[in-house]
PDB file of all heavy atoms in Angstrom:
ATOM      1  N   ALA A 838      -6.200  14.837 -28.015  1.00 90.00           N
ATOM      2  CA  ALA A 838      -6.294  13.383 -27.795  1.00 90.00           C
ATOM      3  C   ALA A 838      -7.183  13.079 -26.585  1.00 90.00           C
ATOM      4  O   ALA A 838      -8.106  12.270 -26.664  1.00 90.00           O
ATOM      5  CB  ALA A 838      -4.899  12.811 -27.588  1.00 90.00           C
ATOM      6  N   GLY A 839      -6.905  13.757 -25.445  1.00 89.00           N
ATOM      7  CA  GLY A 839      -7.651  13.517 -24.203  1.00 89.00           C
ATOM      8  C   GLY A 839      -9.107  13.941 -24.379  1.00 89.00           C
ATOM      9  O   GLY A 839      -9.391  14.942 -25.042  1.00 89.00           O
ATOM     10  N   ASN A 841     -11.345  13.815 -21.510  1.00 92.00           N
ATOM     11  CA  ASN A 841     -11.896  13.877 -20.154  1.00 92.00           C
ATOM     12  C   ASN A 841     -12.856  15.063 -19.978  1.00 92.00           C
ATOM     13  O   ASN A 841     -13.641  15.102 -19.040  1.00 92.00           O
ATOM     14  CB  ASN A 841     -10.755  13.958 -19.126  1.00 92.00           C
ATOM     15  CG  ASN A 841      -9.807  15.095 -19.442  1.00 92.00           C
ATOM     16  OD1 ASN A 841      -9.008  14.983 -20.371  1.00 92.00           O
ATOM     17  ND2 ASN A 841      -9.898  16.195 -18.714  1.00 92.00           N
ATOM     18  N   PRO A 858      -6.274  11.123 -32.061  1.00 93.00           N
ATOM     19  CA  PRO A 858      -5.700  10.211 -31.065  1.00 93.00           C
ATOM     20  C   PRO A 858      -4.213  10.450 -30.799  1.00 93.00           C
ATOM     21  O   PRO A 858      -3.748  10.231 -29.681  1.00 93.00           O
ATOM     22  CB  PRO A 858      -5.941   8.820 -31.650  1.00 93.00           C
ATOM     23  CG  PRO A 858      -6.354   9.019 -33.053  1.00 93.00           C
ATOM     24  CD  PRO A 858      -6.789  10.422 -33.246  1.00 93.00           C
ATOM     25  N   TYR A 860      -0.967  13.248 -31.985  1.00 90.00           N
ATOM     26  CA  TYR A 860      -0.472  14.270 -32.919  1.00 90.00           C
ATOM     27  C   TYR A 860       1.034  14.256 -32.931  1.00 90.00           C
ATOM     28  O   TYR A 860       1.652  14.024 -33.938  1.00 90.00           O
ATOM     29  CB  TYR A 860      -1.009  15.665 -32.663  1.00 90.00           C
ATOM     30  CG  TYR A 860      -1.605  15.936 -31.311  1.00 90.00           C
ATOM     31  CD1 TYR A 860      -0.908  16.675 -30.371  1.00 90.00           C
ATOM     32  CD2 TYR A 860      -2.881  15.491 -30.989  1.00 90.00           C
ATOM     33  CE1 TYR A 860      -1.473  16.956 -29.152  1.00 90.00           C
ATOM     34  CE2 TYR A 860      -3.441  15.759 -29.759  1.00 90.00           C
ATOM     35  CZ  TYR A 860      -2.725  16.496 -28.845  1.00 90.00           C
ATOM     36  OH  TYR A 860      -3.272  16.763 -27.620  1.00 90.00           O
ATOM     37  N   VAL A 865       5.354  15.982 -26.697  1.00 97.00           N
ATOM     38  CA  VAL A 865       5.051  15.980 -25.258  1.00 97.00           C
ATOM     39  C   VAL A 865       6.191  15.332 -24.458  1.00 97.00           C
ATOM     40  O   VAL A 865       6.618  15.852 -23.425  1.00 97.00           O
ATOM     41  CB  VAL A 865       3.707  15.265 -24.983  1.00 97.00           C
ATOM     42  CG1 VAL A 865       3.352  15.329 -23.499  1.00 97.00           C
ATOM     43  CG2 VAL A 865       2.585  15.893 -25.812  1.00 97.00           C
ATOM     44  N   ILE A 910       4.440   6.688 -14.987  1.00 98.00           N
ATOM     45  CA  ILE A 910       3.067   6.198 -14.788  1.00 98.00           C
ATOM     46  C   ILE A 910       2.305   6.395 -16.095  1.00 98.00           C
ATOM     47  O   ILE A 910       2.050   7.535 -16.500  1.00 98.00           O
ATOM     48  CB  ILE A 910       2.389   6.926 -13.607  1.00 98.00           C
ATOM     49  CG1 ILE A 910       3.217   6.710 -12.325  1.00 98.00           C
ATOM     50  CG2 ILE A 910       0.946   6.439 -13.431  1.00 98.00           C
ATOM     51  CD1 ILE A 910       2.655   7.349 -11.085  1.00 98.00           C
ATOM     52  N   GLY A 911       2.012   5.281 -16.772  1.00 98.00           N
ATOM     53  CA  GLY A 911       1.362   5.358 -18.084  1.00 98.00           C
ATOM     54  C   GLY A 911       2.391   5.134 -19.175  1.00 98.00           C
ATOM     55  O   GLY A 911       3.216   6.011 -19.456  1.00 98.00           O
ATOM     56  N   THR A 912       2.373   3.921 -19.762  1.00 98.00           N
ATOM     57  CA  THR A 912       3.386   3.599 -20.775  1.00 98.00           C
ATOM     58  C   THR A 912       2.744   3.478 -22.156  1.00 98.00           C
ATOM     59  O   THR A 912       2.938   2.495 -22.866  1.00 98.00           O
ATOM     60  CB  THR A 912       4.119   2.287 -20.416  1.00 98.00           C
ATOM     61  OG1 THR A 912       3.114   1.258 -20.246  1.00 98.00           O
ATOM     62  CG2 THR A 912       4.932   2.415 -19.160  1.00 98.00           C
ATOM     63  N   GLY A 913       1.950   4.469 -22.516  1.00 97.00           N
ATOM     64  CA  GLY A 913       1.355   4.531 -23.856  1.00 97.00           C
ATOM     65  C   GLY A 913       2.348   5.188 -24.800  1.00 97.00           C
ATOM     66  O   GLY A 913       3.570   5.064 -24.633  1.00 97.00           O
ATOM     67  N   LYS A 914       1.803   5.912 -25.779  1.00 96.00           N
ATOM     68  CA  LYS A 914       2.664   6.493 -26.816  1.00 96.00           C
ATOM     69  C   LYS A 914       3.680   7.470 -26.231  1.00 96.00           C
ATOM     70  O   LYS A 914       4.872   7.386 -26.510  1.00 96.00           O
ATOM     71  CB  LYS A 914       1.790   7.199 -27.869  1.00 96.00           C
ATOM     72  CG  LYS A 914       0.943   6.234 -28.677  1.00 96.00           C
ATOM     73  CD  LYS A 914       0.074   6.935 -29.688  1.00 96.00           C
ATOM     74  CE  LYS A 914      -1.155   7.584 -29.116  1.00 96.00           C
ATOM     75  NZ  LYS A 914      -2.129   6.705 -28.460  1.00 96.00           N
ATOM     76  N   ILE A 915       3.200   8.398 -25.393  1.00 97.00           N
ATOM     77  CA  ILE A 915       4.098   9.429 -24.849  1.00 97.00           C
ATOM     78  C   ILE A 915       5.036   8.821 -23.803  1.00 97.00           C
ATOM     79  O   ILE A 915       6.250   9.074 -23.813  1.00 97.00           O
ATOM     80  CB  ILE A 915       3.281  10.601 -24.252  1.00 97.00           C
ATOM     81  CG1 ILE A 915       2.478  11.292 -25.359  1.00 97.00           C
ATOM     82  CG2 ILE A 915       4.193  11.601 -23.541  1.00 97.00           C
ATOM     83  CD1 ILE A 915       1.448  12.296 -24.870  1.00 97.00           C
ATOM     84  N   GLY A 916       4.458   8.011 -22.915  1.00 98.00           N
ATOM     85  CA  GLY A 916       5.260   7.390 -21.854  1.00 98.00           C
ATOM     86  C   GLY A 916       6.431   6.608 -22.424  1.00 98.00           C
ATOM     87  O   GLY A 916       7.554   6.709 -21.924  1.00 98.00           O
ATOM     88  N   TYR A 933       4.539   1.958 -14.215  1.00 98.00           N
ATOM     89  CA  TYR A 933       3.247   1.392 -13.818  1.00 98.00           C
ATOM     90  C   TYR A 933       2.233   1.724 -14.908  1.00 98.00           C
ATOM     91  O   TYR A 933       2.189   2.856 -15.403  1.00 98.00           O
ATOM     92  CB  TYR A 933       2.764   1.968 -12.480  1.00 98.00           C
ATOM     93  CG  TYR A 933       1.338   1.571 -12.194  1.00 98.00           C
ATOM     94  CD1 TYR A 933       1.044   0.298 -11.727  1.00 98.00           C
ATOM     95  CD2 TYR A 933       0.284   2.454 -12.444  1.00 98.00           C
ATOM     96  CE1 TYR A 933      -0.282  -0.086 -11.515  1.00 98.00           C
ATOM     97  CE2 TYR A 933      -1.030   2.077 -12.231  1.00 98.00           C
ATOM     98  CZ  TYR A 933      -1.307   0.800 -11.762  1.00 98.00           C
ATOM     99  OH  TYR A 933      -2.598   0.413 -11.563  1.00 98.00           O
ATOM    100  N   ASP A 934       1.448   0.733 -15.286  1.00 98.00           N
ATOM    101  CA  ASP A 934       0.338   0.954 -16.227  1.00 98.00           C
ATOM    102  C   ASP A 934      -0.740  -0.062 -15.898  1.00 98.00           C
ATOM    103  O   ASP A 934      -0.419  -1.165 -15.432  1.00 98.00           O
ATOM    104  CB  ASP A 934       0.835   0.768 -17.684  1.00 98.00           C
ATOM    105  CG  ASP A 934      -0.143   1.337 -18.706  1.00 98.00           C
ATOM    106  OD1 ASP A 934      -1.319   0.910 -18.715  1.00 98.00           O
ATOM    107  OD2 ASP A 934       0.255   2.208 -19.499  1.00 98.00           O
ATOM    108  N   VAL A 935      -1.978   0.290 -16.142  1.00 98.00           N
ATOM    109  CA  VAL A 935      -3.050  -0.680 -15.905  1.00 98.00           C
ATOM    110  C   VAL A 935      -2.958  -1.837 -16.917  1.00 98.00           C
ATOM    111  O   VAL A 935      -3.436  -2.934 -16.657  1.00 98.00           O
ATOM    112  CB  VAL A 935      -4.457  -0.027 -15.915  1.00 98.00           C
ATOM    113  CG1 VAL A 935      -4.707   0.734 -14.634  1.00 98.00           C
ATOM    114  CG2 VAL A 935      -4.633   0.897 -17.119  1.00 98.00           C
ATOM    115  N   TYR A 936      -2.391  -1.563 -18.089  1.00 98.00           N
ATOM    116  CA  TYR A 936      -2.095  -2.630 -19.069  1.00 98.00           C
ATOM    117  C   TYR A 936      -0.595  -2.670 -19.297  1.00 98.00           C
ATOM    118  O   TYR A 936      -0.018  -1.655 -19.697  1.00 98.00           O
ATOM    119  CB  TYR A 936      -2.795  -2.367 -20.410  1.00 98.00           C
ATOM    120  CG  TYR A 936      -4.292  -2.294 -20.286  1.00 98.00           C
ATOM    121  CD1 TYR A 936      -4.951  -1.074 -20.369  1.00 98.00           C
ATOM    122  CD2 TYR A 936      -5.038  -3.457 -20.065  1.00 98.00           C
ATOM    123  CE1 TYR A 936      -6.332  -1.000 -20.229  1.00 98.00           C
ATOM    124  CE2 TYR A 936      -6.414  -3.391 -19.928  1.00 98.00           C
ATOM    125  CZ  TYR A 936      -7.051  -2.158 -20.013  1.00 98.00           C
ATOM    126  OH  TYR A 936      -8.406  -2.094 -19.878  1.00 98.00           O
ATOM    127  N   HIS A 965       2.152  10.008 -17.352  1.00 98.00           N
ATOM    128  CA  HIS A 965       1.803   9.938 -18.781  1.00 98.00           C
ATOM    129  C   HIS A 965       0.551   9.116 -19.022  1.00 98.00           C
ATOM    130  O   HIS A 965       0.424   8.461 -20.052  1.00 98.00           O
ATOM    131  CB  HIS A 965       2.994   9.387 -19.580  1.00 98.00           C
ATOM    132  CG  HIS A 965       4.176  10.281 -19.494  1.00 98.00           C
ATOM    133  ND1 HIS A 965       4.213  11.516 -20.100  1.00 98.00           N
ATOM    134  CD2 HIS A 965       5.337  10.163 -18.803  1.00 98.00           C
ATOM    135  CE1 HIS A 965       5.354  12.112 -19.810  1.00 98.00           C
ATOM    136  NE2 HIS A 965       6.062  11.320 -19.017  1.00 98.00           N
ATOM    137  N   CYS A 966      -0.366   9.143 -18.031  1.00 97.00           N
ATOM    138  CA  CYS A 966      -1.621   8.395 -18.184  1.00 97.00           C
ATOM    139  C   CYS A 966      -2.758   9.397 -18.401  1.00 97.00           C
ATOM    140  O   CYS A 966      -2.634  10.570 -18.047  1.00 97.00           O
ATOM    141  CB  CYS A 966      -1.882   7.560 -16.931  1.00 97.00           C
ATOM    142  SG  CYS A 966      -1.847   8.519 -15.427  1.00 97.00           S
ATOM    143  N   PRO A 967      -3.867   8.948 -18.973  1.00 94.00           N
ATOM    144  CA  PRO A 967      -5.006   9.863 -19.108  1.00 94.00           C
ATOM    145  C   PRO A 967      -5.665  10.090 -17.754  1.00 94.00           C
ATOM    146  O   PRO A 967      -5.441   9.314 -16.820  1.00 94.00           O
ATOM    147  CB  PRO A 967      -5.949   9.103 -20.051  1.00 94.00           C
ATOM    148  CG  PRO A 967      -5.597   7.671 -19.878  1.00 94.00           C
ATOM    149  CD  PRO A 967      -4.159   7.600 -19.506  1.00 94.00           C
ATOM    150  N   LEU A 968      -6.466  11.144 -17.663  1.00 94.00           N
ATOM    151  CA  LEU A 968      -7.231  11.379 -16.432  1.00 94.00           C
ATOM    152  C   LEU A 968      -8.508  10.544 -16.506  1.00 94.00           C
ATOM    153  O   LEU A 968      -9.263  10.636 -17.473  1.00 94.00           O
ATOM    154  CB  LEU A 968      -7.583  12.865 -16.338  1.00 94.00           C
ATOM    155  CG  LEU A 968      -8.499  13.269 -15.191  1.00 94.00           C
ATOM    156  CD1 LEU A 968      -7.799  13.105 -13.849  1.00 94.00           C
ATOM    157  CD2 LEU A 968      -8.973  14.711 -15.360  1.00 94.00           C
ATOM    158  N   THR A 969      -8.735   9.726 -15.483  1.00 94.00           N
ATOM    159  CA  THR A 969      -9.960   8.917 -15.434  1.00 94.00           C
ATOM    160  C   THR A 969     -10.588   9.098 -14.046  1.00 94.00           C
ATOM    161  O   THR A 969      -9.976   9.717 -13.162  1.00 94.00           O
ATOM    162  CB  THR A 969      -9.638   7.422 -15.638  1.00 94.00           C
ATOM    163  OG1 THR A 969      -8.799   6.995 -14.553  1.00 94.00           O
ATOM    164  CG2 THR A 969      -8.928   7.153 -16.951  1.00 94.00           C
ATOM    165  N   GLU A 971     -10.810   6.899 -11.886  1.00 95.00           N
ATOM    166  CA  GLU A 971     -10.010   6.111 -10.927  1.00 95.00           C
ATOM    167  C   GLU A 971      -8.744   6.848 -10.480  1.00 95.00           C
ATOM    168  O   GLU A 971      -8.297   6.677  -9.354  1.00 95.00           O
ATOM    169  CB  GLU A 971      -9.574   4.764 -11.537  1.00 95.00           C
ATOM    170  CG  GLU A 971     -10.690   3.755 -11.745  1.00 95.00           C
ATOM    171  CD  GLU A 971     -11.612   4.132 -12.906  1.00 95.00           C
ATOM    172  OE1 GLU A 971     -11.088   4.513 -13.971  1.00 95.00           O
ATOM    173  OE2 GLU A 971     -12.843   4.082 -12.733  1.00 95.00           O
ATOM    174  N   ASN A 972      -8.134   7.621 -11.383  1.00 98.00           N
ATOM    175  CA  ASN A 972      -6.844   8.225 -10.991  1.00 98.00           C
ATOM    176  C   ASN A 972      -6.927   9.735 -10.723  1.00 98.00           C
ATOM    177  O   ASN A 972      -5.905  10.402 -10.663  1.00 98.00           O
ATOM    178  CB  ASN A 972      -5.746   7.891 -12.013  1.00 98.00           C
ATOM    179  CG  ASN A 972      -6.028   8.485 -13.381  1.00 98.00           C
ATOM    180  OD1 ASN A 972      -6.846   9.395 -13.521  1.00 98.00           O
ATOM    181  ND2 ASN A 972      -5.354   7.977 -14.402  1.00 98.00           N
ATOM    182  N   THR A 993       2.914  16.267 -17.409  1.00 98.00           N
ATOM    183  CA  THR A 993       2.534  16.891 -18.689  1.00 98.00           C
ATOM    184  C   THR A 993       1.249  16.230 -19.207  1.00 98.00           C
ATOM    185  O   THR A 993       0.942  16.329 -20.386  1.00 98.00           O
ATOM    186  CB  THR A 993       3.653  16.742 -19.751  1.00 98.00           C
ATOM    187  OG1 THR A 993       3.982  15.357 -19.891  1.00 98.00           O
ATOM    188  CG2 THR A 993       4.880  17.523 -19.382  1.00 98.00           C
ATOM    189  N   SER A 994       0.525  15.536 -18.305  1.00 97.00           N
ATOM    190  CA  SER A 994      -0.672  14.811 -18.763  1.00 97.00           C
ATOM    191  C   SER A 994      -1.963  15.593 -18.535  1.00 97.00           C
ATOM    192  O   SER A 994      -2.453  16.248 -19.442  1.00 97.00           O
ATOM    193  CB  SER A 994      -0.755  13.445 -18.100  1.00 97.00           C
ATOM    194  OG  SER A 994       0.022  12.540 -18.846  1.00 97.00           O
ATOM    195  N   ARG A 995      -2.498  15.532 -17.335  1.00 95.00           N
ATOM    196  CA  ARG A 995      -3.699  16.298 -17.014  1.00 95.00           C
ATOM    197  C   ARG A 995      -3.573  16.802 -15.583  1.00 95.00           C
ATOM    198  O   ARG A 995      -3.127  16.075 -14.682  1.00 95.00           O
ATOM    199  CB  ARG A 995      -4.965  15.439 -17.148  1.00 95.00           C
ATOM    200  CG  ARG A 995      -5.431  15.227 -18.580  1.00 95.00           C
ATOM    201  CD  ARG A 995      -5.895  16.531 -19.271  1.00 95.00           C
ATOM    202  NE  ARG A 995      -6.305  16.325 -20.652  1.00 95.00           N
ATOM    203  CZ  ARG A 995      -5.521  16.482 -21.716  1.00 95.00           C
ATOM    204  NH1 ARG A 995      -4.250  16.830 -21.574  1.00 95.00           N
ATOM    205  NH2 ARG A 995      -6.001  16.313 -22.937  1.00 95.00           N
ATOM    206  N   ASP A1019       3.140  21.032 -16.828  1.00 98.00           N
ATOM    207  CA  ASP A1019       2.628  21.672 -18.037  1.00 98.00           C
ATOM    208  C   ASP A1019       1.114  21.778 -17.952  1.00 98.00           C
ATOM    209  O   ASP A1019       0.471  22.333 -18.833  1.00 98.00           O
ATOM    210  CB  ASP A1019       3.030  20.851 -19.273  1.00 98.00           C
ATOM    211  CG  ASP A1019       2.649  21.548 -20.567  1.00 98.00           C
ATOM    212  OD1 ASP A1019       3.039  22.729 -20.725  1.00 98.00           O
ATOM    213  OD2 ASP A1019       1.946  20.949 -21.410  1.00 98.00           O
ATOM    214  N   VAL A1020       0.568  21.198 -16.897  1.00 98.00           N
ATOM    215  CA  VAL A1020      -0.880  21.194 -16.682  1.00 98.00           C
ATOM    216  C   VAL A1020      -1.114  21.464 -15.200  1.00 98.00           C
ATOM    217  O   VAL A1020      -0.238  21.213 -14.383  1.00 98.00           O
ATOM    218  CB  VAL A1020      -1.481  19.820 -17.086  1.00 98.00           C
ATOM    219  CG1 VAL A1020      -1.484  19.626 -18.586  1.00 98.00           C
ATOM    220  CG2 VAL A1020      -0.729  18.675 -16.419  1.00 98.00           C
ATOM    221  N   HIS A1056       0.401  24.416 -20.645  1.00 95.00           N
ATOM    222  CA  HIS A1056      -0.146  23.431 -21.589  1.00 95.00           C
ATOM    223  C   HIS A1056       0.441  23.615 -22.990  1.00 95.00           C
ATOM    224  O   HIS A1056      -0.280  23.675 -23.981  1.00 95.00           O
ATOM    225  CB  HIS A1056      -1.681  23.519 -21.624  1.00 95.00           C
ATOM    226  CG  HIS A1056      -2.307  22.168 -21.823  1.00 95.00           C
ATOM    227  ND1 HIS A1056      -3.303  21.670 -21.021  1.00 95.00           N
ATOM    228  CD2 HIS A1056      -2.044  21.178 -22.729  1.00 95.00           C
ATOM    229  CE1 HIS A1056      -3.639  20.461 -21.431  1.00 95.00           C
ATOM    230  NE2 HIS A1056      -2.883  20.140 -22.453  1.00 95.00           N
ATOM    231  N   GLN A1057       1.778  23.691 -23.035  1.00 96.00           N
ATOM    232  CA  GLN A1057       2.441  23.897 -24.322  1.00 96.00           C
ATOM    233  C   GLN A1057       3.202  22.667 -24.801  1.00 96.00           C
ATOM    234  O   GLN A1057       3.841  22.703 -25.857  1.00 96.00           O
ATOM    235  CB  GLN A1057       3.414  25.096 -24.240  1.00 96.00           C
ATOM    236  CG  GLN A1057       4.729  24.787 -23.526  1.00 96.00           C
ATOM    237  CD  GLN A1057       5.749  25.898 -23.658  1.00 96.00           C
ATOM    238  OE1 GLN A1057       5.683  26.887 -22.940  1.00 96.00           O
ATOM    239  NE2 GLN A1057       6.705  25.755 -24.558  1.00 96.00           N
ATOM    240  N   ALA A1058       3.120  21.554 -24.031  1.00 97.00           N
ATOM    241  CA  ALA A1058       3.943  20.392 -24.383  1.00 97.00           C
ATOM    242  C   ALA A1058       3.665  19.902 -25.803  1.00 97.00           C
ATOM    243  O   ALA A1058       4.559  19.468 -26.507  1.00 97.00           O
ATOM    244  CB  ALA A1058       3.711  19.270 -23.376  1.00 97.00           C
ATOM    245  N   PHE A1059       2.407  20.019 -26.241  1.00 95.00           N
ATOM    246  CA  PHE A1059       2.047  19.521 -27.582  1.00 95.00           C
ATOM    247  C   PHE A1059       2.502  20.469 -28.684  1.00 95.00           C
ATOM    248  O   PHE A1059       2.478  20.108 -29.851  1.00 95.00           O
ATOM    249  CB  PHE A1059       0.506  19.396 -27.691  1.00 95.00           C
ATOM    250  CG  PHE A1059      -0.174  20.728 -27.871  1.00 95.00           C
ATOM    251  CD1 PHE A1059      -0.567  21.172 -29.124  1.00 95.00           C
ATOM    252  CD2 PHE A1059      -0.384  21.566 -26.791  1.00 95.00           C
ATOM    253  CE1 PHE A1059      -1.168  22.418 -29.304  1.00 95.00           C
ATOM    254  CE2 PHE A1059      -0.978  22.811 -26.947  1.00 95.00           C
ATOM    255  CZ  PHE A1059      -1.374  23.236 -28.209  1.00 95.00           C
TER     256      PHE A1059
HETATM  257  P1  NAD B 726      -1.991   6.622 -24.687  1.00 72.89           P
HETATM  258  O1  NAD B 726      -3.439   6.297 -24.734  1.00 72.89           O
HETATM  259  O2  NAD B 726      -1.110   6.198 -25.816  1.00 72.89           O
HETATM  260  O3  NAD B 726      -1.345   6.031 -23.334  1.00 72.89           O
HETATM  261  C1  NAD B 726      -1.917   6.171 -22.081  1.00 72.89           C
HETATM  262  C2  NAD B 726      -1.460   5.013 -21.230  1.00 72.89           C
HETATM  263  O4  NAD B 726      -1.932   5.223 -19.902  1.00 72.89           O
HETATM  264  C3  NAD B 726      -2.009   3.651 -21.695  1.00 72.89           C
HETATM  265  O5  NAD B 726      -0.963   2.713 -21.778  1.00 72.89           O
HETATM  266  C4  NAD B 726      -3.021   3.290 -20.604  1.00 72.89           C
HETATM  267  O6  NAD B 726      -3.129   1.885 -20.396  1.00 72.89           O
HETATM  268  C5  NAD B 726      -2.411   3.980 -19.404  1.00 72.89           C
HETATM  269  N1  NAD B 726      -3.342   4.204 -18.312  1.00 72.89           N
HETATM  270  C6  NAD B 726      -4.673   4.420 -18.346  1.00 72.89           C
HETATM  271  N2  NAD B 726      -5.158   4.587 -17.101  1.00 72.89           N
HETATM  272  C7  NAD B 726      -4.105   4.466 -16.262  1.00 72.89           C
HETATM  273  C8  NAD B 726      -3.943   4.539 -14.871  1.00 72.89           C
HETATM  274  N3  NAD B 726      -4.986   4.764 -14.061  1.00 72.89           N
HETATM  275  N4  NAD B 726      -2.717   4.362 -14.343  1.00 72.89           N
HETATM  276  C9  NAD B 726      -1.649   4.123 -15.157  1.00 72.89           C
HETATM  277  N5  NAD B 726      -1.734   4.045 -16.479  1.00 72.89           N
HETATM  278  C10 NAD B 726      -2.939   4.217 -17.038  1.00 72.89           C
HETATM  279  O7  NAD B 726      -1.924   8.184 -24.455  1.00 72.89           O
HETATM  280  P2  NAD B 726      -0.707   9.172 -24.801  1.00 72.89           P
HETATM  281  O8  NAD B 726      -0.825   9.636 -26.210  1.00 72.89           O
HETATM  282  O9  NAD B 726       0.559   8.578 -24.327  1.00 72.89           O
HETATM  283  O10 NAD B 726      -1.075  10.429 -23.880  1.00 72.89           O
HETATM  284  C11 NAD B 726      -1.054  10.348 -22.467  1.00 72.89           C
HETATM  285  C12 NAD B 726      -1.725  11.579 -21.893  1.00 72.89           C
HETATM  286  O11 NAD B 726      -0.944  12.728 -22.204  1.00 72.89           O
HETATM  287  C13 NAD B 726      -3.094  11.911 -22.524  1.00 72.89           C
HETATM  288  O12 NAD B 726      -4.133  11.168 -21.902  1.00 72.89           O
HETATM  289  C14 NAD B 726      -3.233  13.372 -22.246  1.00 72.89           C
HETATM  290  O13 NAD B 726      -3.890  13.547 -21.005  1.00 72.89           O
HETATM  291  C15 NAD B 726      -1.799  13.861 -22.135  1.00 72.89           C
HETATM  292  N6  NAD B 726      -1.416  14.802 -23.208  1.00 72.89           N
HETATM  293  C16 NAD B 726      -0.941  16.022 -22.856  1.00 72.89           C
HETATM  294  C17 NAD B 726      -0.570  16.930 -23.832  1.00 72.89           C
HETATM  295  C18 NAD B 726       0.001  18.286 -23.481  1.00 72.89           C
HETATM  296  O14 NAD B 726       0.128  19.143 -24.356  1.00 72.89           O
HETATM  297  N7  NAD B 726       0.390  18.534 -22.244  1.00 72.89           N
HETATM  298  C19 NAD B 726      -0.701  16.587 -25.191  1.00 72.89           C
HETATM  299  C20 NAD B 726      -1.181  15.320 -25.510  1.00 72.89           C
HETATM  300  C21 NAD B 726      -1.547  14.427 -24.523  1.00 72.89           C
END
Side-chain angles (χ1 to χ4, degrees):
N841 53 285
Y860 18 105
V865 183
I910 302 181
T912 55
K914 292 179 282 298
I915 296 170
Y933 170 78
D934 195 303
V935 284
Y936 300 106
H965 297 290
C966 54
L968 174 68
T969 63
E971 290 73 45
N972 64 17
T993 55
S994 275
R995 282 295 178 266
D1019 186 53
V1020 288
H1056 215 129
Q1057 77 171 80
F1059 76 99

